[in-house]
Coordinates of all heavy atoms in Angstrom, one line a residue:
M1 N 0.8 -1.2 0.0 CA 0.0 0.0 0.0 C 0.9 1.2 0.0 O 1.8 1.4 0.8 CB -0.9 0.0 1.2 CG -1.7 1.2 1.4 SD -3.0 1.2 2.7 CE -2.2 0.6 4.1
S2 N 0.6 2.2 -0.9 CA 1.4 3.4 -1.0 C 0.7 4.5 -0.3 O -0.6 4.5 -0.3 CB 1.7 3.8 -2.4 OG 0.6 4.1 -3.1
E3 N 1.4 5.4 0.3 CA 0.8 6.5 0.9 C 0.5 7.7 0.0 O 1.3 7.9 -0.9 CB 1.7 7.0 2.1 CG 1.9 6.0 3.2 CD 2.7 6.6 4.3 OE1 2.7 7.8 4.5 OE2 3.4 5.8 4.9
A4 N -0.6 8.4 0.1 CA -0.9 9.5 -0.7 C 0.0 10.7 -0.3 O 0.4 10.8 0.9 CB -2.3 9.9 -0.5
P5 N 0.4 11.5 -1.3 CA 1.3 12.7 -0.9 C 0.6 13.6 0.0 O -0.7 13.7 0.0 CB 1.6 13.3 -2.3 CG 0.5 12.8 -3.2 CD 0.1 11.5 -2.7
L6 N 1.3 14.3 0.8 CA 0.7 15.3 1.7 C 0.2 16.5 0.9 O 0.8 16.9 -0.1 CB 1.8 15.8 2.7 CG 2.3 14.8 3.7 CD1 3.4 15.5 4.6 CD2 1.1 14.4 4.6
E7 N -1.0 16.9 1.2 CA -1.6 18.1 0.5 C -1.9 19.2 1.5 O -2.8 20.0 1.3 CB -2.8 17.6 -0.3 CG -2.5 16.6 -1.3 CD -1.6 17.2 -2.5 OE1 -1.7 18.4 -2.8 OE2 -0.8 16.4 -3.0
L8 N -1.1 19.3 2.6 CA -1.4 20.3 3.6 C -1.3 21.7 3.0 O -2.0 22.6 3.5 CB -0.4 20.2 4.7 CG -0.4 18.8 5.5 CD1 0.7 18.7 6.4 CD2 -1.7 18.6 6.2
L9 N -0.4 21.9 2.1 CA -0.2 23.3 1.5 C -0.7 23.4 0.1 O -0.3 24.3 -0.7 CB 1.3 23.6 1.6 CG 1.9 23.7 3.0 CD1 3.4 24.0 2.9 CD2 1.2 24.7 3.8
S10 N -1.6 22.5 -0.3 CA -2.2 22.6 -1.6 C -2.9 23.9 -1.8 O -3.5 24.5 -1.0 CB -3.3 21.5 -1.7 OG -3.9 21.5 -3.0
G11 N -2.6 24.5 -3.0 CA -3.1 25.8 -3.3 C -2.2 27.0 -3.0 O -2.5 28.1 -3.3
I12 N -1.1 26.7 -2.3 CA -0.1 27.7 -1.9 C 1.0 27.7 -2.9 O 1.6 26.7 -3.3 CB 0.5 27.4 -0.5 CG1 -0.6 27.3 0.5 CG2 1.5 28.5 -0.2 CD1 -1.3 28.6 0.8
R13 N 1.3 28.9 -3.5 CA 2.4 29.0 -4.4 C 3.6 29.8 -3.8 O 3.4 30.8 -3.2 CB 2.0 29.8 -5.7 CG 3.1 29.9 -6.7 CD 2.6 30.4 -8.0 NE 1.9 29.3 -8.6 CZ 0.7 29.5 -9.3 NH1 0.3 30.7 -9.5 NH2 0.1 28.5 -9.8
I14 N 4.8 29.2 -3.9 CA 6.0 29.8 -3.3 C 7.0 30.1 -4.4 O 7.3 29.2 -5.2 CB 6.6 28.9 -2.2 CG1 5.5 28.7 -1.1 CG2 7.9 29.4 -1.7 CD1 5.9 27.6 -0.1
L15 N 7.5 31.3 -4.4 CA 8.6 31.6 -5.3 C 9.9 31.5 -4.5 O 10.1 32.1 -3.4 CB 8.5 33.1 -5.8 CG 7.3 33.3 -6.7 CD1 7.3 34.8 -7.1 CD2 7.3 32.4 -7.9
S16 N 10.8 30.7 -5.0 CA 12.1 30.4 -4.3 C 13.3 31.0 -5.0 O 13.5 30.8 -6.2 CB 12.3 28.9 -4.2 OG 13.6 28.6 -3.8
F17 N 13.9 31.9 -4.3 CA 15.1 32.6 -4.8 C 16.4 32.0 -4.1 O 17.4 32.7 -4.0 CB 15.0 34.1 -4.6 CG 13.9 34.8 -5.3 CD1 12.7 34.8 -4.8 CD2 14.2 35.3 -6.6 CE1 11.6 35.4 -5.5 CE2 13.2 35.9 -7.3 CZ 11.9 36.0 -6.8
T18 N 16.3 30.8 -3.6 CA 17.3 30.2 -2.8 C 18.4 29.6 -3.6 O 18.2 29.3 -4.8 CB 16.7 29.2 -1.8 OG1 16.1 28.1 -2.6 CG2 15.6 29.7 -1.0
Q19 N 19.5 29.3 -3.0 CA 20.6 28.6 -3.6 C 21.4 27.8 -2.5 O 21.1 27.9 -1.4 CB 21.5 29.5 -4.3 CG 22.2 30.6 -3.5 CD 23.0 31.5 -4.3 OE1 23.3 31.3 -5.4 NE2 23.5 32.6 -3.7
W20 N 22.3 27.0 -3.0 CA 23.1 26.1 -2.3 C 22.3 25.0 -1.7 O 21.6 24.3 -2.4 CB 24.0 26.8 -1.2 CG 25.1 26.0 -0.8 CD1 25.4 25.7 0.5 CD2 26.1 25.3 -1.6 NE1 26.5 24.9 0.6 CE2 26.9 24.6 -0.7 CE3 26.3 25.2 -2.9 CZ2 28.0 23.8 -1.2 CZ3 27.4 24.4 -3.4 CH2 28.2 23.8 -2.5
L21 N 22.2 24.8 -0.3 CA 21.5 23.7 0.2 C 20.4 24.0 1.2 O 19.3 23.5 1.1 CB 22.4 22.7 0.8 CG 21.8 21.4 1.3 CD1 21.1 20.6 0.2 CD2 22.9 20.5 1.9
L22 N 20.6 24.9 2.1 CA 19.6 25.2 3.2 C 18.3 25.7 2.6 O 17.3 25.3 3.0 CB 20.2 26.1 4.2 CG 21.4 25.6 5.0 CD1 21.9 26.6 6.0 CD2 21.0 24.3 5.7
G23 N 18.4 26.7 1.7 CA 17.2 27.2 1.1 C 16.4 26.2 0.3 O 15.2 26.0 0.5
P24 N 17.1 25.6 -0.7 CA 16.3 24.6 -1.4 C 15.8 23.4 -0.6 O 14.7 22.9 -0.9 CB 17.4 24.0 -2.4 CG 18.3 25.2 -2.6 CD 18.4 25.8 -1.2
A25 N 16.5 23.0 0.5 CA 16.0 22.0 1.3 C 14.7 22.4 2.0 O 13.7 21.7 2.2 CB 17.0 21.5 2.4
T26 N 14.7 23.7 2.5 CA 13.5 24.2 3.1 C 12.3 24.2 2.2 O 11.2 23.7 2.6 CB 13.8 25.6 3.7 OG1 14.9 25.5 4.6 CG2 12.6 26.2 4.4
V27 N 12.4 24.8 1.0 CA 11.3 24.8 0.1 C 10.9 23.4 -0.4 O 9.8 23.2 -0.8 CB 11.4 25.8 -1.0 CG1 11.5 27.2 -0.5 CG2 12.6 25.5 -1.9
Q28 N 11.9 22.5 -0.4 CA 11.6 21.1 -0.8 C 10.6 20.5 0.1 O 9.7 19.8 -0.3 CB 12.9 20.3 -0.8 CG 12.7 18.9 -1.2 CD 14.1 18.2 -1.0 OE1 14.3 17.6 0.1 NE2 14.9 18.3 -2.0
Y29 N 10.8 20.8 1.4 CA 9.8 20.3 2.4 C 8.4 20.9 2.2 O 7.4 20.2 2.3 CB 10.3 20.6 3.8 CG 11.6 19.9 4.2 CD1 12.5 20.7 4.9 CD2 11.9 18.6 3.8 CE1 13.8 20.1 5.2 CE2 13.1 18.1 4.1 CZ 14.1 18.8 4.8 OH 15.3 18.2 5.1
L30 N 8.4 22.1 1.9 CA 7.1 22.8 1.6 C 6.4 22.1 0.3 O 5.2 21.9 0.3 CB 7.3 24.3 1.4 CG 7.8 25.0 2.6 CD1 8.1 26.5 2.2 CD2 6.9 24.9 3.8
A31 N 7.2 21.9 -0.7 CA 6.7 21.2 -1.9 C 6.3 19.8 -1.6 O 5.2 19.3 -2.1 CB 7.8 21.1 -3.0
D32 N 7.0 19.1 -0.7 CA 6.6 17.8 -0.3 C 5.2 17.8 0.4 O 4.5 16.8 0.4 CB 7.6 17.1 0.7 CG 8.9 16.8 -0.1 OD1 8.9 16.7 -1.3 OD2 9.9 16.5 0.7
M33 N 4.9 18.9 1.0 CA 3.6 19.1 1.7 C 2.5 19.6 0.8 O 1.4 20.0 1.2 CB 3.7 19.9 2.9 CG 4.5 19.3 4.0 SD 4.5 20.2 5.6 CE 5.7 21.5 5.3
G34 N 2.8 19.7 -0.5 CA 1.8 20.1 -1.5 C 1.9 21.5 -2.1 O 1.1 21.8 -2.9
A35 N 2.8 22.3 -1.6 CA 2.9 23.7 -2.1 C 3.5 23.6 -3.6 O 4.2 22.7 -3.9 CB 3.8 24.5 -1.3
D36 N 3.1 24.6 -4.4 CA 3.6 24.7 -5.7 C 4.8 25.6 -5.6 O 4.7 26.9 -5.5 CB 2.5 25.3 -6.6 CG 3.0 25.6 -8.0 OD1 4.0 24.9 -8.5 OD2 2.3 26.4 -8.7
V37 N 6.0 25.1 -5.7 CA 7.2 25.8 -5.6 C 7.8 26.1 -6.9 O 8.0 25.2 -7.7 CB 8.2 25.1 -4.7 CG1 9.6 25.8 -4.6 CG2 7.7 24.9 -3.3
I38 N 8.1 27.3 -7.2 CA 8.8 27.7 -8.4 C 10.2 28.3 -8.1 O 10.2 29.4 -7.4 CB 7.9 28.8 -9.2 CG1 6.6 28.2 -9.5 CG2 8.7 29.2 -10.5 CD1 5.6 29.2 -10.0
K39 N 11.2 27.7 -8.5 CA 12.6 28.1 -8.3 C 12.9 29.2 -9.3 O 12.9 28.9 -10.5 CB 13.6 27.0 -8.3 CG 15.0 27.4 -8.1 CD 15.9 26.1 -8.0 CE 17.3 26.5 -7.7 NZ 17.5 27.0 -6.4
I40 N 13.3 30.3 -8.9 CA 13.7 31.4 -9.8 C 15.3 31.3 -10.0 O 16.0 31.4 -9.1 CB 13.3 32.8 -9.3 CG1 11.8 32.8 -9.0 CG2 13.7 33.9 -10.3 CD1 10.9 32.6 -10.1
E41 N 15.7 31.2 -11.3 CA 17.1 31.0 -11.6 C 17.5 32.1 -12.6 O 16.7 32.6 -13.4 CB 17.4 29.6 -12.2 CG 17.0 28.5 -11.3 CD 17.4 27.2 -11.9 OE1 18.5 27.0 -12.4 OE2 16.5 26.3 -11.9
P42 N 18.8 32.4 -12.6 CA 19.3 33.4 -13.6 C 19.3 32.8 -15.0 O 19.4 31.5 -15.1 CB 20.7 33.7 -13.1 CG 21.1 32.5 -12.3 CD 19.9 32.0 -11.7
P43 N 19.2 33.6 -16.0 CA 19.1 33.1 -17.4 C 20.5 32.5 -17.8 O 21.5 32.7 -17.1 CB 18.8 34.3 -18.3 CG 19.2 35.5 -17.4 CD 19.0 35.1 -16.0
G44 N 20.5 31.7 -18.8 CA 21.8 31.0 -19.3 C 21.9 29.7 -18.7 O 21.1 28.8 -19.0
A45 N 22.9 29.5 -17.8 CA 23.1 28.1 -17.3 C 22.2 27.8 -16.1 O 22.2 26.7 -15.6 CB 24.6 28.0 -16.8
G46 N 21.5 28.8 -15.6 CA 20.6 28.6 -14.4 C 21.4 28.6 -13.1 O 22.5 29.2 -13.1
A47 N 20.9 28.1 -12.1 CA 21.5 28.1 -10.8 C 22.9 27.4 -10.9 O 23.1 26.4 -11.6 CB 20.7 27.4 -9.7
F48 N 23.9 28.0 -10.2 CA 25.3 27.4 -10.3 C 25.3 26.0 -9.8 O 26.2 25.2 -10.2 CB 26.3 28.3 -9.6 CG 26.3 28.1 -8.1 CD1 27.1 27.2 -7.5 CD2 25.5 28.9 -7.3 CE1 27.1 27.0 -6.1 CE2 25.5 28.7 -5.9 CZ 26.3 27.8 -5.3
E49 N 24.4 25.6 -8.9 CA 24.4 24.2 -8.4 C 24.2 23.1 -9.5 O 24.5 22.0 -9.3 CB 23.4 24.0 -7.3 CG 23.5 24.9 -6.1 CD 22.3 26.0 -6.3 OE1 22.4 26.8 -7.2 OE2 21.4 25.9 -5.4
R50 N 23.6 23.5 -10.6 CA 23.3 22.6 -11.7 C 24.6 22.0 -12.2 O 24.7 20.9 -12.7 CB 22.6 23.3 -12.8 CG 21.1 23.5 -12.5 CD 20.5 24.2 -13.8 NE 19.1 24.5 -13.5 CZ 18.1 23.6 -13.7 NH1 18.4 22.4 -14.2 NH2 16.8 23.9 -13.5
G51 N 25.7 22.8 -12.1 CA 27.0 22.4 -12.6 C 28.0 22.0 -11.6 O 29.2 21.7 -11.9
W52 N 27.6 21.9 -10.3 CA 28.5 21.5 -9.2 C 28.0 20.2 -8.6 O 26.8 20.0 -8.3 CB 28.5 22.6 -8.1 CG 29.4 22.2 -7.0 CD1 30.8 22.5 -6.9 CD2 29.1 21.4 -5.9 NE1 31.3 22.0 -5.8 CE2 30.3 21.3 -5.1 CE3 28.0 20.8 -5.4 CZ2 30.4 20.6 -3.9 CZ3 28.0 20.1 -4.2 CH2 29.2 20.0 -3.5
A53 N 28.9 19.2 -8.4 CA 28.5 18.0 -7.8 C 29.7 17.4 -7.1 O 30.8 17.3 -7.7 CB 27.9 17.0 -8.8
G54 N 29.6 17.1 -5.8 CA 30.7 16.3 -5.1 C 30.8 15.0 -5.8 O 29.8 14.3 -6.1
G55 N 32.0 14.5 -6.0 CA 32.2 13.2 -6.6 C 31.9 13.2 -8.1 O 31.8 12.1 -8.6
N56 N 31.8 14.3 -8.7 CA 31.5 14.4 -10.1 C 30.3 13.5 -10.5 O 30.4 12.7 -11.5 CB 32.8 14.0 -10.9 CG 32.7 14.4 -12.3 OD1 32.1 15.4 -12.7 ND2 33.4 13.7 -13.2
T57 N 29.2 13.6 -9.8 CA 28.0 12.8 -10.1 C 27.0 13.7 -10.9 O 26.4 14.6 -10.3 CB 27.4 12.3 -8.8 OG1 27.2 13.4 -7.9 CG2 28.3 11.3 -8.1
F58 N 26.8 13.3 -12.1 CA 25.8 14.1 -13.0 C 24.9 13.1 -13.6 O 25.2 11.9 -13.9 CB 26.6 14.9 -14.1 CG 27.4 16.0 -13.5 CD1 28.7 15.8 -13.1 CD2 26.8 17.3 -13.4 CE1 29.4 16.9 -12.5 CE2 27.6 18.3 -12.9 CZ 28.8 18.1 -12.5
R59 N 23.7 13.6 -13.9 CA 22.7 12.8 -14.7 C 22.2 13.6 -15.8 O 21.6 14.7 -15.6 CB 21.6 12.4 -13.7 CG 20.4 11.7 -14.4 CD 20.1 10.4 -13.8 NE 19.0 9.8 -14.6 CZ 19.0 8.6 -14.8 NH1 19.9 7.8 -14.4 NH2 17.9 8.1 -15.5
N60 N 22.4 13.2 -17.0 CA 22.1 14.0 -18.2 C 22.6 15.4 -18.1 O 21.9 16.4 -18.5 CB 20.5 14.0 -18.4 CG 20.0 12.6 -18.6 OD1 20.6 11.8 -19.3 ND2 18.8 12.3 -18.1
G61 N 23.8 15.6 -17.6 CA 24.5 16.9 -17.6 C 24.1 17.8 -16.4 O 24.6 18.9 -16.3
V62 N 23.2 17.3 -15.6 CA 22.8 18.1 -14.4 C 23.3 17.4 -13.1 O 23.2 16.2 -13.0 CB 21.2 18.2 -14.4 CG1 20.8 19.0 -13.1 CG2 20.7 18.9 -15.6
S63 N 23.8 18.2 -12.2 CA 24.3 17.7 -10.9 C 23.2 16.9 -10.2 O 22.1 17.3 -10.0 CB 24.7 18.8 -10.1 OG 24.9 18.5 -8.8
V64 N 23.6 15.7 -9.7 CA 22.7 14.9 -8.9 C 22.4 15.7 -7.6 O 21.3 15.6 -7.0 CB 23.3 13.5 -8.6 CG1 22.5 12.7 -7.6 CG2 23.4 12.7 -9.9
F65 N 23.4 16.4 -7.1 CA 23.2 17.2 -5.9 C 22.0 18.2 -6.1 O 21.1 18.3 -5.3 CB 24.5 18.0 -5.6 CG 24.3 19.1 -4.6 CD1 24.3 18.8 -3.2 CD2 24.2 20.4 -5.0 CE1 24.1 19.8 -2.3 CE2 24.0 21.4 -4.1 CZ 24.0 21.1 -2.7
F66 N 22.0 18.9 -7.3 CA 21.0 19.8 -7.6 C 19.6 19.1 -7.7 O 18.6 19.6 -7.2 CB 21.3 20.5 -8.9 CG 20.2 21.4 -9.4 CD1 20.1 22.7 -8.9 CD2 19.2 21.0 -10.3 CE1 19.1 23.6 -9.3 CE2 18.2 21.9 -10.7 CZ 18.1 23.2 -10.2
L67 N 19.6 18.0 -8.4 CA 18.3 17.2 -8.6 C 17.7 16.8 -7.2 O 16.5 16.9 -7.0 CB 18.6 16.0 -9.5 CG 19.0 16.3 -10.9 CD1 19.3 15.0 -11.6 CD2 17.9 17.1 -11.6
L68 N 18.6 16.3 -6.3 CA 18.1 15.9 -5.0 C 17.7 17.1 -4.2 O 16.7 17.0 -3.4 CB 19.2 15.1 -4.3 CG 19.5 13.7 -4.9 CD1 20.7 13.1 -4.2 CD2 18.3 12.8 -4.9
A69 N 18.4 18.2 -4.2 CA 18.1 19.3 -3.3 C 16.9 20.1 -3.8 O 16.4 20.9 -3.1 CB 19.3 20.2 -3.2
N70 N 16.5 19.9 -5.1 CA 15.4 20.7 -5.6 C 14.3 19.9 -6.2 O 13.6 20.3 -7.1 CB 16.0 21.6 -6.7 CG 16.9 22.7 -6.2 OD1 16.5 23.7 -5.7 ND2 18.2 22.4 -6.3
R71 N 14.0 18.7 -5.6 CA 12.9 17.9 -6.1 C 11.6 18.6 -5.8 O 11.5 19.4 -4.9 CB 13.0 16.5 -5.5 CG 12.5 16.5 -4.1 CD 12.3 15.0 -3.6 NE 11.7 15.1 -2.2 CZ 12.4 14.9 -1.1 NH1 13.7 14.7 -1.2 NH2 11.8 15.0 0.0
N72 N 10.6 18.2 -6.6 CA 9.2 18.7 -6.5 C 9.1 20.2 -6.7 O 8.2 20.9 -6.3 CB 8.6 18.4 -5.2 CG 8.3 16.9 -5.0 OD1 8.2 16.2 -6.0 ND2 8.3 16.4 -3.8
Q73 N 10.1 20.8 -7.4 CA 10.1 22.2 -7.7 C 10.1 22.4 -9.2 O 10.8 21.7 -9.9 CB 11.3 22.9 -7.1 CG 11.4 22.8 -5.6 CD 12.6 23.4 -5.0 OE1 13.0 24.5 -5.4 NE2 13.2 22.7 -4.1
R74 N 9.4 23.4 -9.7 CA 9.5 23.8 -11.1 C 10.5 25.0 -11.1 O 10.8 25.5 -10.0 CB 8.1 24.3 -11.6 CG 7.1 23.3 -11.5 CD 5.8 23.7 -12.1 NE 5.1 24.7 -11.4 CZ 4.3 25.6 -11.9 NH1 4.0 25.6 -13.2 NH2 3.7 26.5 -11.1
S75 N 11.0 25.3 -12.3 CA 12.0 26.4 -12.3 C 11.7 27.3 -13.4 O 11.0 27.0 -14.4 CB 13.4 25.8 -12.5 OG 13.6 25.2 -13.7
L76 N 12.1 28.6 -13.3 CA 11.9 29.6 -14.2 C 13.1 30.5 -14.2 O 13.6 30.9 -13.2 CB 10.7 30.4 -13.8 CG 10.3 31.7 -14.5 CD1 9.8 31.3 -15.9 CD2 9.2 32.5 -13.8
A77 N 13.6 30.9 -15.4 CA 14.7 31.8 -15.5 C 14.2 33.2 -15.7 O 13.4 33.4 -16.6 CB 15.6 31.4 -16.7
L78 N 14.7 34.1 -14.9 CA 14.4 35.5 -15.0 C 15.6 36.4 -15.1 O 16.6 36.1 -14.4 CB 13.6 36.0 -13.8 CG 12.1 35.5 -13.7 CD1 11.5 36.1 -12.4 CD2 11.3 35.9 -14.9
N79 N 15.6 37.4 -16.0 CA 16.7 38.3 -16.1 C 16.3 39.6 -15.4 O 15.4 40.2 -15.6 CB 16.9 38.6 -17.6 CG 18.2 39.4 -17.8 OD1 18.8 39.9 -16.9 ND2 18.5 39.6 -19.1

């Protein structure tokens, strides 16, 4: 039996201007609880974490660190 996702924050939209780990981890928890999180990134390459990974771990050219730290988030590039 699988558990249904939490929908405590369903209908809440959050714009995330965070980077590195603490900020993305915080909004990740909010997204896990049902919030619609949109990560705002600079144009071009996006957030610098996309190209940084400890142990040189990448999936399809994107850092696994970035993918794990920013799950359940959509992203948007703004200039």
Side-chain angles (χ1 to χ4, degrees):
M1 173 168 51
S2 65
E3 295 182 29
L6 293 175
E7 296 297 328
L8 300 172
L9 299 178
S10 181
I12 303 292
R13 179 169 291 141
I14 297 169
L15 296 179
S16 171
F17 295 88
T18 62
Q19 59 183 350
W20 199 235
L21 185 58
L22 295 178
T26 301
V27 295
Q28 179 186 97
Y29 299 137
L30 298 174
D32 290 346
M33 290 188 281
D36 178 19
V37 176
I38 302 170
K39 180 175 181 66
I40 307 299
E41 299 184 50
F48 79 91
E49 306 103 291
R50 287 181 179 273
W52 181 91
N56 199 27
T57 52
F58 291 88
R59 172 126 181 139
N60 297 325
V62 179
S63 163
V64 171
F65 168 80
F66 176 84
L67 295 173
L68 292 172
N70 293 281
R71 75 167 185 262
N72 291 337
Q73 299 176 42
R74 299 185 293 153
S75 64
L76 174 69
L78 288 180
N79 186 356

